Amino acid sequence: QAVYQLPPSDADVPAKSIPLAMQTLFYKLQFDAKSVGTKDLTQSFGWDSYEAFQQHDVQELNRVLCDNLEGKMKGTAVDGTIDKLFKGHMLNYIECVNVVYKSTRKEEFLDLQLDVKDCKDVYASFDNYTEVEPLDGDNMYEAEGHGKQAARKGVLFQDFPPVLQLHLRRFDYDFQCDTMVKINDRYEFPLELDLGRDGGKYLVAGADRSKPCKYLLHSVLVHSGGVHGGHYYAFIRPDCGVKSVTPGGEADAGQWFKFDDERVTREEESEAVDQQFGGDGSPPVTAPTHQPFLSKLAKFSNAYMLVYVREADIASVLCPVTKQDIAQHLHERVKRAAEEKARIKREREEAHLYSLVRFSRVDDMIAQVGRPNSILFDLLDSSKVTPRRVLKATTLVEYREELAKEWGVPADQMRFWTWARRVNKSCRPAKLLEGEEEALTLAGIDDKRNDQNTQALHLFVETPQQGSNALHQRMPSVLLLFFKLYDPIKQEMRLVGHLFCSVKAKLQDYKAAMCAMAGVRADEELHTYEEVKFEPELMLEQMNMHQVLGTGELEDGDIVVFETASSVQQARAARQPHSTAHQYMQYRLQRLPVQFRPLDRPNDDKAAVEVEMERCSTYEELCEAIAREVGAPDGAHIRLTRHNERLGVPHSMPERHENSPTVGEMLGKVSTEQLAMADFGLLRMYYEVLEMPLSELEKMKTLNVDLHNAGGKHLSTHTVHLAPNATARAAVEAVCRAAAREASAPPPRLMRVTFSSTIDKIWEDSEDLGMLYRSDGLRVGEMAPDDLGKAHMIRAYHVEEHSLQGTTAASNFGDPILVGVDEGETLASVKARIRERLGVKEEGFAKWTFHAVTGHTTSRLLTDADTVADKIPPTKDTGYYAPPNYLGMEHANTGPRRPTGVHSRPSTGYTERAIKIAG
């Protein structure tokens, strides 16, 4: 109801407006008898088809969509609806045991994430959520004014929302496998959820208990699949089992429906609930040879999100919505859309009764030939002529009357010609339809045409030429010829008209008419050519003005190209590059209009430069042309990268100079029609201006390296070029030079940081870099002055603690750092230096705990008096699989989980994929 009450959008179509898309979707779901698509909704998110078919996490989508809708609702009659429906409050508390002191922090939530692992049902998850954690021993709480105190830490709920959204944590991190896994364990959820049970143990003491915290299950969202992908579907009980709000009457009371893409089916309660608990399922009965190890099969389809509605709020939350409650503009929009859909469907069903026919005139040719972003060769790009839907039974004579009314041309002053695609691939008007052929139906004409490469029948309509009221009288032995004029001064070619020429005459006999059509003086000397073909190569044959036309091989539809001798002379005097029609057409056939953008600013339109080259131009010639455009020293300092057409971004690897490709090879296959169109957006590449010649650079090792300060903060990213046998010290110095950072004492260290926020390799200054790649996660980490002269350098990671098979394991996040420690130095001393380095306030830092982590899973809590060097043995850098020993800094994760920098790519698990909704 709230979505329906959103004000109308300025957008005309749902695909451009999230509120309108959702209104339309809800309307169709409520009133249509058939399944409803979501294409308009995903397009309104700003997603293209590629993004729409990517696997996303549904809980994240729910949050992002609610945030977006909340913004759309601000200032409207439904402002605050998202909070009213979904917002609840919880209280984080720390209460001292021996003194009167309690610290509390109130938090809001729109959904709750519940643990599935080691929990048998929803109640067990809530017990785990609100479990009290003792803070004692070395982990005592620093209470303001009371010092270190034993305390109890926990969470209780102040209130629950009318609609409770529960996200089941089916995806978790497996520390032994070092990867994300899906937890398919059995996990039960009730039809009725009582969060006020056991005297309201989940609620704070002063919570408002006027409304019982009893909830009824409304919907179950199921994920079928594994960690790397799967399929979502949902079971919905529209009335939550309450007959008074049943939309379909008592017969549908408590009915579950399964929504699986376009399929909506009625389901039994056991299928919607019990079968979605997960765990192991029994296989069907099999033959006696059934193997014992198949006695149980894992169920990979199980509940992922649950939606409960508070029983006391059922009437208001699930209130009926009638057509009278829906704005009139939405009724009208949906009606228009339905009528348009019906029209399209009707046309599709009646398609066999109709033909698609294109009718073109000389004016259409003149509007295309030689114009920007259009054709140069042949006469017409038929795809740009709008096809008409005409009944197949309509005769040409009958449809001529309709064209006469539309064009304002007498019906008897039209002649129709069919087009023919010749053996040389050119396409020209070839046969005049006359006599009995005019009485044919359009379907009959379509069946007889010889060009079946196009879907629509194409007819050239001859009408009186400009300045004439009647068609040229058609005589035997007369040819229909078209004429193009080339202007070498303007470097352009255009179609100027057509003439009927006798095969017994000479071109000289039509010179006056040709000059009149072109707008040049009648006494001009003309150079004439016949445009024969342009694929696979240009054939433009010179014609003699005094030769009898019938002695050549001319036929209807042929093209005569001409230029004035005086314009050719002027163009040569002005040093124009293409002074003749042949030169110009050859250039247009071979040219490649390419747009080049800086590789580091691929979307900067203002920085783009446009260069025209020929297919056969070499890499070096192209680089020289770009260097002139961008002011580089020379072409040797230019490096090129191809454009990835599928993704719309630069390729990951640049073009190598040593391969010496031609421009045509780099840009791939481009059709002649595309080349004839002067569109600089068609072909794209990227360039870099290098500090050294490319031939030298390709012999060097190129690496992307992030620069971080001593506290792990990302400062900048640099691409450095090193000698093949370069040492780690050379890499560090190159990064410092690029960042204009002075060498520090102690000097920065080169390390490799993994996606799981660990350091798996630290290079010694004199160590060879070995085999590395640009995307290897390299980092130069500055060291703090207080690290100078320390006996050991240890890793320090931000961690979260987890229980794994009876031992404590650490999950890393954020940016790791290196810390120097002395022999015998206590944790208290090291902590003081870390706090100052990270800039953490003392009050917050007091809550951190520190652990000695050895191997992948073993962790020991450290006390301030512990000697750090004794508890954390040095780690040998033997590669990716070396078990790390490090100082774990356990605290709440309030920042990004992944390390920062250009190498911090998300994991391959779809649960890490960020969701963005435009608007």
Side-chain angles (χ1 to χ4, degrees), residues 459-488:
L459 298 177
F460 167 58
V461 186
E462 180 195 345
T463 57
Q465 292 182 277
Q466 188 174 5
S468 174
N469 295 322
L471 289 170
H472 183 279
Q473 186 176 359
R474 178 67 173 169
M475 301 289 290
S477 302
V478 172
L479 298 174
L480 170 62
L481 300 180
F482 294 88
F483 293 83
K484 294 180 182 179
L485 172 71
Y486 174 59
D487 186 339

Side-chain angles (χ1 to χ4, degrees), residues 499-552:
L499 293 172
F500 285 93
C501 304
S502 171
V503 295
K504 299 178 181 179
K506 306 171 184 177
L507 267 184
Q508 181 67 30
D509 299 332
Y510 300 100
K511 179 183 176 183
M514 292 166 59
C515 291
M517 287 190 299
V520 299
R521 296 197 320 269
D523 60 348
E524 284 275 10
E525 180 185 351
L526 302 182
H527 299 165
T528 54
Y529 314 85
E530 180 193 355
E531 180 185 319
V532 181
K533 65 174 186 175
F534 54 89
E535 286 188 312
E537 58 187 17
L538 177 67
M539 182 180 289
L540 192 70
E541 295 184 343
Q542 191 164 5
M543 298 179 68
N544 187 334
M545 291 285 290
H546 300 282
Q547 180 181 351
V548 176
L549 295 175
T551 59

